[in-house]
Amino acid sequence: MKPPLEGIRVADFSWYGAGPIGTQTLAWYGAEVIRVESEARVDGLRTTQPAPPGKTGYNVSGYYNNFNSNKLSFTLNMSKPGARDIALRLIAKSDVVVENYQAGVFEKWGLSYEAMTAVKPDIIFVRQPVAGTTGPHREFSAFGAVMTPITGLSHLSGYPDRPPIGVGTNYPDYVINPGHQTIAVLAALRHRRRTGRGQYIEIAQLESTMAVVGPAIIDYTANGRVQTRQGNRQENAAPHGVFPCRPRPTTPPIEGAPLPLGMTQPPPEEDRWIAIAVFTDEQWRALRKVMGEPAWAAEPRFSTLEGRKANEDELERLVADWSRDQVAEELMERLQAAGVPAGVVQTSEDVLDHDEHLKARGYYVYLDHLETGRAAYDGSPFKMSKTPGGPVRPAPLLGEHTMYVAKEIIGLSDEEIADLVADQVLY
């Protein structure tokens, strides 16, 4: 079956996370995505851990490789005279251009939307500057770790009596901004198919991320209340949190692999936790049965949501006293069977090697990479019955397809390529 985006070519000038993760979805479903990279200023993700033990260089980062499957890599040094012309010749052969640099970088390179439409009138140009290209903060730079505080996410993350802890990962880079970028590109492609016209798309990462704090904004609008951190609690549920379970022996790391930051040797056992969320009295009664109907659980103070919320500290202590001797996976199965929302707090080892559900659905895809060997890649988060997609080729080596793109797509002659390589415009 023909992939839905077959025939669409994307000149992907973006780097790090938010841009490339969005274009990966396009590549999974048939678009030819060409990462335009620089060896003079390499994508920082190519130098980021983790990498297999003993492997070094620009091609072995699991971080980069996981987000760039199915793509091509074309190395172009935009700081060199002549690079702008090559970029425009590639854009002339493309349908979509993506970039997520600090505002002003593309202008410095002379790659304005007007310059692009001069060579490809129906081009779709997608930009992801941090704060947009207008406004007093238009020149701000940031990564996901900065986006979470400035959008209010970090203020809502953590315990009320402690400083904000953030969301633990660059969440806007992985989910919010790539998702909005993908939707915008698909909408623009549909618009172009109906009208014949391309368009300019600006996704200010700040505004894109703001969308997820909507409930806090509504609360402030309606009640004048500034929400703050609640730990693992939620106003309409109790108990609602993570509770300790029986520890398990730690799996030794692969020989030669570095230990996690701050660790000198792996502990003999690792903590195990389970998340439990009780929203209704029916779920509370089901939890009581799974716990074996302890006397404390029958006390009137715990019989209603209001009572459980009023006595939440004591409730959580009592549930934790019961759960800490339970095997997390077994307890999750028992609670789910009883109708209580519950899930093991899984590690990367769990989701990759032990989660039978993810295995049965074939979520992780194993691909053979020229330098790292066989490795797991995230699969597509959605499955299409008529036009399936997902990772089928590993991430490209840096500049692996430079000659192919220069000759077969841009149409440069051998002599032109040789001159550009000699001038370090191409690598």
Side-chain angles (χ1 to χ4, degrees), residues 125-201:
F125 181 30
V126 185
R127 314 190 70 177
Q128 272 202 53
V130 166
T133 58
T134 59
H137 296 170
R138 61 186 177 280
E139 295 183 354
F140 276 21
S141 60
F143 289 90
V146 175
M147 295 305 301
T148 50
I150 202 170
T151 56
L153 275 173
S154 293
H155 180 75
L156 298 170
S157 304
Y159 289 91
D161 58 341
R162 301 180 192 176
I165 61 172
V167 294
T169 185
N170 296 330
Y171 179 61
D173 285 353
Y174 301 135
V175 181
I176 306 165
N177 296 323
H180 286 163
Q181 175 183 289
T182 301
I183 292 170
V185 169
L186 294 178
L189 286 171
R190 185 174 186 273
H191 174 77
R192 191 185 69 165
R193 188 176 64 185
R194 298 181 65 180
T195 67
R197 296 193 294 271
Q199 60 182 298
Y200 173 89
I201 301 170

Side-chain angles (χ1 to χ4, degrees), residues 326-401:
Q326 309 289 322
V327 175
E329 289 78 6
E330 295 175 1
L331 181 55
M332 176 179 70
E333 296 287 346
R334 289 163 54 203
L335 289 170
Q336 286 284 350
V340 180
V344 174
V345 180
Q346 299 204 103
T347 66
S348 53
E349 175 189 344
D350 291 326
V351 296
L352 194 62
D353 289 340
H354 305 316
D355 191 313
E356 296 301 327
H357 181 78
L358 288 174
K359 282 185 184 178
R361 290 181 58 81
Y363 173 70
Y364 285 107
V365 178
Y366 287 80
L367 301 173
D368 294 309
H369 186 276
L370 283 173
E371 292 197 15
T372 65
R374 195 164 183 77
Y377 284 66
D378 281 317
S380 175
F382 54 90
K383 299 179 185 296
M384 300 177 70
S385 64
K386 302 297 184 185
T387 54
V392 294
R393 298 193 310 276
L397 308 181
L398 180 61
E400 180 179 354
H401 306 95

Side-chain angles (χ1 to χ4, degrees), residues 226-245:
V226 177
Q227 289 190 2
T228 188
R229 298 170 292 287
Q230 300 183 65
N232 293 312
R233 292 179 178 177
Q234 186 161 319
E235 288 191 356
N236 59 338
H240 187 282
V242 293
F243 299 90
C245 291

Side-chain angles (χ1 to χ4, degrees), residues 58 80 105 116 134 165 220 259 311 318 334 337:
Y58 293 148
K80 294 289 185 179
V105 171
M116 295 182 193
T134 59
I165 61 172
Y220 179 71
L259 292 170
N311 298 277
L318 291 165
R334 289 163 54 203

Side-chain angles (χ1 to χ4, degrees), residues 33 36 93 99 111 151 172 218 252 256 285 328 334 349 358 360:
V33 177
V36 183
K93 300 286 186 177
E99 67 99 351
L111 296 178
T151 56
I218 293 172
R285 289 190 291 271
R334 289 163 54 203
E349 175 189 344
L358 288 174

